[in-house]
Amino acid sequence: MKRQLILEDGSVFEGEVFGHLAQTKGEVVFNTGMTGYQEILSDPSYCMQLVVLTYPLAGNYGINRDDFESINPAISALIVKETADMPSNWRNEMTLDEYLKMKKIPGLKGIDTRRLTRAIRQHGTMKGAICSMDVNPVEVASELRTEQLPKDQVKTVSTKNPYPSPGRGNRVVLVDFGMKHGILRELNGRGCDVTVVPYNTTAEEIMQLKPDGVMLSNGPGDPKDVPEAIEMLKGVLGLVPIFGICLGHQLFALACGADTEKMPFGHRGSNHPVKELATGRISITSQNHGYSVNPDSLEGTELDITHIALNDRSVEGLRHKSLPAFTVQYHPEASPGPEDANGLFDRFMKMIEVHKGGAVCQSVMI
């Protein structure tokens, strides 16, 4: 069955339906990873987005039980050039098409993804809709231009109630803004006694849990749409060590007086080079974000830049000058992608131990 993808600039791409048969709309973004479609599908940071895979083939190794980053995907649609109907991998349990049908996620294949990606790179991220062939593209494009993107993505994907992930080590409160399970796996793998809490948990409620450290997760959307989290961070900062990833990094910057801005088309993929300024070390990182910290806004704050993206010089890491807190824009837990930056979780553990000992944490900051 044919469907058309209509962008707000009036561009039309015709393709074939796979997965769930439904019409949908949202922000159209692209991911440059060659593998990892299962993790991309289940990453809550893609909430309400139509994701284009630039790699031409998807589904060739199927779907397995181990590589999910959430239980219920929040992605609006998957757009690809070609799908594999007969995947080959020893862990394969179902096809990509079967999984999308099970989770009621629309898919569109046969699309010229190179032309679509070039359009997004040239004009910036655009709203789009997957529609039946009988609709008027001009009318749909006009409606898309007047519609506002939703602002409740974090509320949609965050846990509704706190829950524990027990361990015998450091007690960490993990604030769920749209958490990838990879973050929880890294903390559990280091023996942490983790309590996952909703995005709107207050500073007082967090401190009542007696944490040794606070972890800020990734998540979807504009960080300025989560004012509750900014206020929470202002209350927690300085009381316990803080480590933030992606949206958590942006929220931390806002709480410290900096500003964030929307990027033309964002960073989404598993091959982004990032430089650590203190050492000159280059890491290849996994990224998924459409907003970044404005470097000029850091002047006059208590924040230092620790990492930059080599492709566009955007801010990829921050640390507080005097308090035990640091953040990164990229994903050290990978899933999918390289694990070059996985050691940041160990730095967080060391920071917690130093803080518990009553010493100054500056020596273990990045």
Side-chain angles (χ1 to χ4, degrees):
M1 181 178 292
K2 294 287 186 180
R3 280 283 190 268
Q4 54 183 337
L5 169 67
I6 303 170
L7 301 181
E8 62 177 293
D9 70 347
S11 301
V12 178
F13 298 80
E14 292 186 7
E16 181 182 347
V17 172
F18 73 106
H20 184 55
L21 180 59
Q23 302 185 69
T24 188
K25 58 186 175 181
E27 187 178 39
V28 183
V29 302
F30 63 86
N31 185 292
T32 59
M34 295 177 66
T35 60
Y37 54 80
Q38 181 172 335
E39 295 93 326
I40 291 168
L41 279 168
S42 55
D43 183 349
S45 292
Y46 285 113
C47 178
M48 302 181 190
Q49 291 180 326
L50 286 65
V51 179
V52 181
L53 300 184
T54 62
Y55 189 71
L57 179 65
N60 53 312
Y61 53 88
I63 299 290
N64 66 76
R65 72 173 191 173
D66 299 322
D67 291 341
F68 293 111
E69 288 301 311
S70 66
I71 296 174
N72 295 309
I75 187 175
S76 289
L78 183 69
I79 300 169
V80 300
K81 172 63 176 176
E82 181 184 356
T83 60
D85 298 325
M86 299 180 65
S88 177
N89 186 275
W90 66 275
R91 295 195 302 162
N92 172 50
E93 296 179 343
M94 68 176 71
T95 67
L96 176 59
D97 179 62
E98 290 170 338
Y99 177 72
L100 293 184
K101 283 186 170 72
M102 181 178 70
K103 292 298 184 178
K104 294 182 168 48
I105 301 170
L108 196 61
K109 63 181 179 178
I111 294 291
D112 185 347
T113 51
R114 291 186 69 183
R115 183 167 73 91
L116 177 54
T117 300
R118 285 173 176 171
I120 296 172
R121 283 184 58 90
Q122 181 178 355
H123 302 292
T125 301
M126 290 180 279
K127 298 187 287 292
I130 295 177
C131 305
S132 63
M133 298 300 295
D134 57 358
V135 303
N136 186 328
V138 176
E139 294 178 358
V140 173
S142 178
E143 292 174 1
L144 289 170
R145 286 193 293 270
T146 59
E147 290 183 2
Q148 297 294 317
L149 291 171
K151 296 182 179 295
D152 60 347
Q153 294 102 317
V154 169
K155 180 180 179 180
T156 299
V157 297
S158 176
T159 183
K160 301 300 183 287
N161 299 294
Y163 63 90
S165 185
R168 296 182 179 274
N170 291 315
R171 182 176 297 174
V172 175
V173 171
L174 173 51
V175 187
D176 178 12
F177 301 116
M179 175 195 70
K180 289 172 60 185
H181 286 174
I183 297 175
L184 185 57
R185 285 194 294 268
E186 292 299 332
L187 293 174
N188 287 154
R190 288 163 174 79
C192 293
D193 182 21
V194 183
T195 301
V196 182
V197 299
Y199 77 99
N200 56 355
T201 305
T202 66
E204 181 181 10
E205 290 169 335
I206 287 176
M207 295 311 298
Q208 287 174 354
L209 296 171
K210 306 297 182 183
D212 298 316
V214 172
M215 183 92 215
L216 311 173
S217 86
N218 63 292
D222 186 342
K224 294 177 182 177
D225 291 336
V226 199
E228 308 96 324
I230 298 170
E231 289 305 309
M232 175 273 291
L233 279 168
K234 291 178 180 179
V236 170
L237 186 62
L239 300 181
V240 290
I242 295 172
F243 177 21
I245 292 174
C246 201
L247 183 65
H249 159 83
Q250 298 160 14
L251 290 167
F252 173 74
L254 291 172
C256 292
D259 195 14
T260 57
E261 57 191 4
K262 188 173 178 61
M263 307 176 77
F265 45 81
H267 294 170
R268 297 176 180 88
S270 53
N271 55 356
H272 290 259
V274 169
K275 180 178 181 180
E276 183 176 26
L277 297 181
T279 64
R281 178 185 176 186
I282 308 298
S283 298
I284 304 301
T285 68
S286 176
Q287 302 203 9
N288 176 16
H289 59 98
Y291 291 81
S292 65
V293 176
N294 184 324
D296 295 333
S297 71
L298 294 168
E299 186 175 353
T301 71
E302 289 296 303
L303 300 178
D304 283 331
I305 298 176
T306 59
H307 296 73
I308 59 170
L310 291 184
N311 289 336
D312 62 5
R313 315 299 291 183
S314 59
V315 177
E316 290 283 349
L318 295 169
R319 68 167 180 142
H320 199 280
K321 294 179 179 179
S322 59
L323 300 175
F326 70 94
T327 62
V328 290
Q329 180 64 79
Y330 53 92
H331 287 265
E333 82 286 356
S335 302
E339 299 182 354
D340 295 23
N342 191 264
L344 292 178
F345 289 95
D346 296 321
R347 294 191 188 187
F348 183 43
M349 295 298 102
K350 186 175 181 181
M351 178 179 284
I352 287 175
E353 293 300 330
V354 172
H355 187 263
K356 287 165 66 175
V360 178
C361 296
Q362 188 74 18
S363 62
V364 296
M365 284 185 176
I366 57 173

